[in-house]
Amino acid sequence: MKKAKISLAVAGICLALAMVCSSAQAASPVISLDPGDTLTREFILGDEIDFSKLGPAKLFLVIGTGDNETLLGDLTISVTSSVVAEEFGTDIDYTVQGVAIGLDTKPAFKLGKPTVFAPVTTVPNAAKKVIKLNSAYGFALVVIYISNFDGDTYGNPVKFSATFGMSVGVAQ
C-alpha cells in the first residue's frame, strides 16, 4: 500500500511538472508511441537554462499505448545536436532528464516503479537512454536543456534532434 501511494505521488508530481513546463513554453509536444514506433522531433535552444524561470528547455510527454496482447518494451530516447565544435566555436553541455512509469492492467491498474534518468553529454556526442517499461501502457516526461556554454558563442541557437522509439515488449 505504501509503494502504491509513493508511485501515485510521483505520477502526480510528474503531471504537475508537465503542466508548469508546458505553460512556461509555447507548445509542449505530446508524443504517442505504439510498440514498434519511432518518431523524431527537431527543436532549437538558444540559451543556458535558468531554473528560476524553468527555461529555456524542451519538454516532451511520451505516452506509450500498448495493450494486453502487445506490451510496450523499451523506450529509447536519443538526443543529438548538429553543432560541430570547430564550426560553432565552443562546446556545450546539454542534459536529458526525466521520469518514466509503466502501467499494467493485470490484475488491476498498477503503477510500476518510476525510472528517473539523467544522462549528460557534451556536443558532438549523443545522449542516449533506454528505459525498460514492459507494460501495457506507460509514459515518460523528458526535459532537454543546455546546461553550459563554453566560449564566446553564449546565446547562439543550437539545433537539436530527439528520437523516441518504442520496442515491442515480451509477455511474462
Side-chain angles (χ1 to χ4, degrees):
M1 184 68 172
K2 187 175 182 180
K3 287 182 183 180
K5 287 182 182 178
I6 292 171
S7 293
L8 287 174
V10 169
I13 290 168
C14 290
L15 291 176
L17 181 61
M19 287 187 267
V20 168
C21 288
S22 66
S23 66
Q25 62 184 31
S28 178
V30 176
I31 297 170
S32 179
L33 295 175
D34 291 329
D37 285 352
T38 300
L39 182 68
T40 300
R41 294 284 171 93
E42 294 183 354
F43 58 95
I44 294 174
L45 294 174
D47 211 345
E48 287 182 16
I49 190 165
D50 180 354
F51 289 104
S52 67
K53 296 178 182 175
L54 296 176
K58 189 64 178 174
L59 175 86
F60 294 99
L61 178 60
V62 182
I63 301 171
T65 55
D67 55 40
N68 286 332
E69 295 170 8
T70 309
L71 297 177
L72 302 173
D74 295 344
L75 171 61
T76 303
I77 303 166
S78 180
V79 179
T80 58
S81 175
S82 61
V83 169
V84 177
E86 291 79 24
E87 296 172 8
F88 194 66
T90 187
D91 285 335
I92 63 169
D93 295 332
Y94 61 93
T95 301
V96 180
Q97 289 185 306
V99 62
I101 298 176
L103 178 66
D104 286 323
T105 57
K106 295 179 183 177
F109 284 106
K110 176 185 171 189
L111 281 174
K113 181 180 178 186
T115 303
V116 180
F117 52 94
V120 178
T121 189
T122 301
V123 169
N125 299 325
K128 185 174 182 180
K129 185 66 181 175
V130 178
I131 302 138
K132 296 189 180 305
L133 291 175
N134 210 36
S135 60
Y137 303 98
F139 74 91
L141 184 63
V142 182
V143 181
I144 303 163
Y145 59 87
I146 296 173
S147 54
N148 185 38
F149 270 98
D150 289 331
D152 298 332
T153 56
Y154 179 82
N156 284 351
V158 179
K159 185 177 178 181
F160 288 91
S161 178
T163 301
F164 303 90
M166 185 72 70
S167 68
V168 178
V170 179
Q172 296 181 11

